[in-house]
Amino acid sequence: MSLVTIKNLWKMYGDNVVLEKLSLTIEEGEFCTLVGPSGCGKTTFLKMLLGQETPTRGTFLLDGEPFPQEPSIERGIVFQRYSVFEHLSVLGNVMLAIELHSSPFLGRLFGKKRKEAKETAMKMLVSVGLGEAAEKYPSELSGGMQQRLSIAQSLVNKPKILLLDEPFGALDPGIRADMHALILDLWKKNNLTVVMVTHDLHESFYLGTRLLVFDKVRHDPHAPNAYGARITYDIPVGDTRKSVLHEINKSIT
Ligand SMILES: Nc1ncnc2c1ncn2[C@@H]1O[C@H](COP(=O)(O)OP(=O)(O)OP(=O)(O)O)[C@@H](O)[C@H]1O
Ligand SMILES: [Mg+2]
């Protein structure tokens, strides 16, 4: 059974048709990258995967079951703007992610459970290369380090699907390359399924196993909201293509 099954899915806001007639399945372990023009509904699509938005029409299944109505542990998300709390240390931020998951009402753990949460959070920080920065505060971190922190927050509760919305767009090229290496490493080690929005086609070929292009195929100049975007290309990105791209990349940088 596919991890995600989408059939004839429509999403509208009032009379603004954002997405129309989407049908696709996503298998466990895939790394899907998603590109398309600004405003075509990429973030909306991720929000539906996250459970923050509901489809207007159509079938949307996770493991063959209707999607839970609320964001759940099946999914983690890293948005480009960091969701970290400034008054908590790096370690505190990752512990809070565990605490909110294990104790959603209190948001706190005590005694042995708290000690375990601390150990788990610390391991996660080490795996994203933030072991040395555990006691720092978010404002003391570089952009790349903040991004690592939000990835750590998302991954610490072992989500099945990691959703990334233009996670590396704001980073310098060198730091972006480090983040690419990190995300590929975490993806392989944790058997994750990743859905990542990017504006960078190069990035999508480099990271993904599959490229999804969202675009409008129908336009009415008198009613710009009448038609939504569809998936216009769904391209598998094999290792051969990746290694060619890697060579080209090396020769131009
Ligand atoms: N909560 C909302 N209420 C009403 N309309 C919305 C809402 N969220 C998004 N939209 C509309 O849905 C459309 C798609 O927005 P979305 O943010 O998904 O685009 P996007 O592809 O992520 O764009 P970008 O590349 O600029 O991030 C836009 O027309 C936007 O105005
Ligand atoms: Mg967006």
Side-chain angles (χ1 to χ4, degrees):
M1 184 194 303
S2 300
L3 183 60
V4 177
T5 307
I6 295 170
K7 276 189 211 142
N8 201 12
L9 180 99
W10 291 67
K11 177 66 187 173
M12 298 161 201
Y13 289 109
D15 56 7
N16 180 10
V17 184
V18 177
L19 296 168
E20 59 175 46
K21 248 187 153 174
L22 298 194
S23 290
L24 78 153
T25 54
I26 300 174
E27 306 303 325
E28 209 173 303
E30 280 193 297
F31 193 135
C32 299
T33 56
L34 217 148
V35 299
S38 183
C40 75
K42 302 178 298 295
T43 298
T44 304
F45 181 71
L46 278 198
K47 283 184 174 166
M48 286 194 279
L49 282 171
L50 186 67
Q52 269 182 1
E53 285 288 352
T54 47
T56 310
R57 260 193 264 150
T59 309
F60 202 22
L61 307 174
L62 181 66
D63 272 335
E65 301 283 329
F67 256 68
Q69 285 298 302
E70 285 172 8
S72 77
I73 192 54
E74 314 280 287
R75 292 151 276 170
I77 192 152
V78 174
F79 277 115
Q80 192 176 7
R81 278 188 221 103
Y82 317 114
S83 53
V84 297
F85 291 98
E86 295 297 330
H87 66 287
L88 291 176
S89 68
V90 164
L91 180 62
N93 267 290
V94 180
M95 281 179 72
L96 181 69
I98 301 174
E99 289 178 313
L100 286 174
H101 168 56
S102 327
S103 171
F105 296 109
L106 275 180
R108 287 219 66 166
L109 294 171
F110 301 95
K112 187 164 165 257
K113 285 223 155 99
R114 188 171 164 81
K115 196 165 159 260
E116 282 168 8
K118 194 170 177 180
E119 281 165 14
T120 309
M122 201 57 219
K123 265 193 213 153
M124 190 70 234
L125 285 174
V126 170
S127 80
V128 299
L130 284 180
E132 304 290 311
E135 297 308 324
K136 289 198 158 123
Y137 283 84
S139 59
E140 301 173 273
L141 304 180
S142 68
M145 289 163 95
Q146 295 209 13
Q147 197 58 262
R148 281 164 194 264
L149 172 56
S150 48
I151 289 173
Q153 283 178 310
S154 293
L155 288 182
V156 74
N157 291 316
K158 302 203 177 306
K160 271 194 186 168
I161 310 181
L162 181 66
L163 303 170
L164 301 157
D165 198 351
E166 298 188 42
F168 313 131
L171 302 175
D172 291 340
I175 300 169
R176 200 179 309 157
D178 290 349
M179 295 304 298
H180 286 167
L182 171 69
I183 208 74
L184 285 175
D185 187 48
L186 293 169
W187 169 61
K188 283 181 194 145
K189 281 191 185 142
N190 297 290
N191 191 32
L192 279 173
T193 307
V194 182
V195 182
M196 179 178 103
V197 172
T198 172
H199 269 118
D200 183 346
L201 203 55
H202 198 269
E203 184 172 83
S204 36
F205 273 106
Y206 180 64
L207 292 177
T209 56
R210 178 179 179 186
L211 170 66
L212 298 168
V213 182
F214 279 37
D215 205 358
K216 283 192 190 194
V217 285
R218 302 188 288 173
H219 294 271
D220 178 348
H222 302 295
N225 291 339
Y227 299 109
R230 294 183 184 180
I231 295 173
T232 51
Y233 293 95
D234 184 348
I235 308 166
V237 185
D239 287 340
T240 319
R241 203 174 301 195
K242 262 189 208 306
S243 61
V244 169
L245 204 82
H246 197 68
E247 287 307 311
I248 295 171
N249 202 19
K250 268 202 303 199
S251 68
I252 59 173
T253 48

